[in-house]
Amino acid sequence: MRKLVIVAVVLLLLALTVVATACSPAASSQRTLEPASTIAAPTSSVSALTPTPSATPPTTPAPSLTPVPRKMTGRATVMTTGAAVASVRIRVSPMPINDGRVPGPDATAVTDESGVYTLTVLTWPPEALASSSSFQAMLEVTPPPGLLVLEVSKVLGGPPGGTGGMLLGDLSGSIDITLGPGYIVEGKITSGVTGTPLAGIRVNALGPNSMLIHGGAGDAFEIEATATTDTTGTYRLTMRSGTHVIQAYGAQDDQQRFWSDDPAVFQATPLRVERDVAGIDIAVVPVTRIGGYVRSGPLFGDGVEGTRVAAYPAGGTPCCRTVGVAMTGYGGTFLMFIPKGSYRLVFDPPAGSPFVAHWWSGAAGFATATDVIVGSERIQLEVVLARRP
């Protein structure tokens, strides 16, 4: 009996020991007794959210960057008679891809006595050009003197009578050229300082509303024909009948000049072409561009078209020897090239206009006008005309 009592006491003591241990602070959870530590999110954890690039190669092949030879052929004929035309020069410039690389050099050919030409040009395959252009090449056609380019099959762009700027999207099959008669305008470009002929000067025949005459913004160049002077300074332009302005454009910006019927005045004189014309000579000298706007208010739509802008020598010179003249076009824009110097400018609105003449800057006449000093930098002037009382 005594042994049973001892065993019971021992068991009781063991039970109390277990309970005491469980309730001891040392055995409690660390999360309830210690401050929770801050754990920084691992920087590499985002990789688990980012799709891993597939190691499988793409199934779509990359565009081929190997140039492909393209054979181009065609025939040049006269529209009215169908007769073959020899000595027509064809130049094909392959289009580049996005990074500017061209597949090969330009290709040229000249039509034979049967009017036929053949050439081979290297171009990029269509899939390589898909992101940059759907056109394979640029075409330039130079006919013999007296003939105009009227039509070229399979091309986009290029005005009637033009020789360049024609895009080709398909070089297969026959690319034919149709020509027609035109008038020849010729002359010489010389230095106004030394009198010597100037070779390599570009000469343009412009439509009367070309922005290159008035200095307006946009893409209305209206280039009817273009040519380059030879070693004697001679140029020959072939163009349709109509009114044109002849422009000489030298290697530097300071050698630009429009043909004028008065060689002493820097102005764009319209030339009526109804037959072959010779002697349209231009003497170029260093000049500065003066452009600007003539308006009746502050907005673009307020432009006063047909305003005559005239420049007279200043600096004590009596009034009024004309040096330069320009006419405002659509939007009231004007453009003039005159030599360096000091000038007084008048802006004279067209007859019947409700506006009065305006001297720069706001003066009543030549004697009180502000001088415009023309150096080597371009000058931009803006004038708002006042209404008549």
Side-chain angles (χ1 to χ4, degrees):
M1 183 69 176
R2 185 178 178 183
K3 290 182 179 180
L4 290 173
V5 171
I6 293 173
V7 172
V9 171
V10 171
L11 291 174
L12 178 60
L13 291 174
L14 289 173
L16 292 173
T17 302
V18 171
V19 172
T21 302
C23 296
S24 171
S28 301
S29 171
Q30 294 293 323
R31 290 173 295 179
T32 62
L33 298 177
E34 297 180 3
S37 59
T38 302
I39 302 175
T43 56
S44 62
S45 62
V46 294
S47 62
L49 301 176
T50 304
T52 304
S54 173
T56 305
T59 56
T60 304
S64 172
L65 292 183
T66 302
V68 178
R70 307 279 186 183
K71 183 179 179 180
M72 178 175 162
T73 186
R75 188 166 183 258
T77 57
V78 178
M79 174 176 281
T80 53
T81 64
V85 182
S87 302
V88 179
R89 184 176 183 272
I90 294 92
R91 179 177 181 177
V92 180
S93 304
M95 298 294 288
I97 54 177
N98 279 337
D99 61 9
R101 283 183 293 164
V102 294
D106 293 356
T108 60
V110 177
T111 58
D112 60 19
E113 293 300 321
S114 300
V116 176
Y117 71 92
T118 301
L119 59 83
T120 300
V121 62
L122 290 171
T123 67
W124 296 118
E127 60 269 20
L129 288 168
S131 60
S132 57
S133 172
S134 59
F135 299 101
Q136 295 286 308
M138 183 83 75
L139 177 66
E140 178 182 311
V141 179
T142 305
L147 290 175
L148 294 170
V149 178
L150 300 181
E151 184 180 346
V152 179
S153 60
K154 298 185 180 180
V155 301
L156 176 68
T163 60
M166 294 177 279
L167 293 166
L168 284 166
D170 179 12
L171 275 64
S172 63
S174 182
I175 300 176
D176 299 322
I177 302 164
T178 304
L179 305 171
Y183 297 111
I184 297 176
V185 174
E186 64 178 320
K188 283 193 174 183
I189 308 298
T190 58
S191 167
V193 178
T194 65
T196 57
L198 298 177
I201 300 295
R202 190 170 82 246
V203 183
N204 296 323
L206 309 174
N209 296 315
S210 174
M211 63 166 284
L212 296 176
I213 302 172
H214 307 289
D219 58 358
F221 291 107
E222 291 190 15
I223 299 178
E224 170 72 18
T226 186
T228 303
T229 57
D230 59 19
T231 55
T232 68
T234 301
Y235 71 90
R236 290 179 180 86
L237 295 163
T238 304
M239 64 189 73
R240 297 170 295 173
S241 63
T243 300
H244 309 282
V245 170
I246 309 302
Q247 175 205 35
Y249 192 97
Q252 295 87 24
D253 285 344
D254 65 354
Q255 287 185 327
Q256 297 186 54
R257 188 170 183 181
F258 299 112
W259 175 76
S260 171
D261 57 3
D262 183 350
V265 179
F266 292 79
Q267 63 181 340
T269 300
L271 176 67
R272 182 66 187 174
V273 177
E274 296 176 330
R275 55 182 176 79
D276 293 347
V277 183
I280 306 302
D281 304 330
I282 303 175
V284 296
V285 297
V287 292
T288 298
R289 169 188 171 128
I290 297 181
Y293 302 89
V294 179
R295 298 181 174 132
S296 60
L299 303 178
F300 178 79
D302 297 331
V304 182
E305 186 175 358
T307 299
R308 180 179 182 269
V309 183
Y312 309 112
T317 304
C319 183
C320 289
R321 179 175 64 85
T322 305
V323 174
V325 175
M327 298 293 290
T328 59
Y330 175 75
T333 58
F334 72 92
L335 178 63
M336 182 191 304
F337 298 99
I338 56 176
K340 297 177 182 178
S342 179
Y343 301 93
R344 295 185 180 179
L345 273 68
V346 63
F347 304 85
D348 196 6
S353 167
F355 307 104
V356 296
H358 181 106
W359 287 83
W360 185 264
S361 142
F366 177 87
T368 56
T370 302
D371 292 354
V372 176
I373 309 301
V374 177
S376 58
E377 298 296 326
R378 293 183 177 187
I379 296 176
Q380 187 80 358
L381 303 176
E382 295 192 13
V383 171
V384 178
L385 299 178
R387 289 186 173 270
R388 299 183 184 277

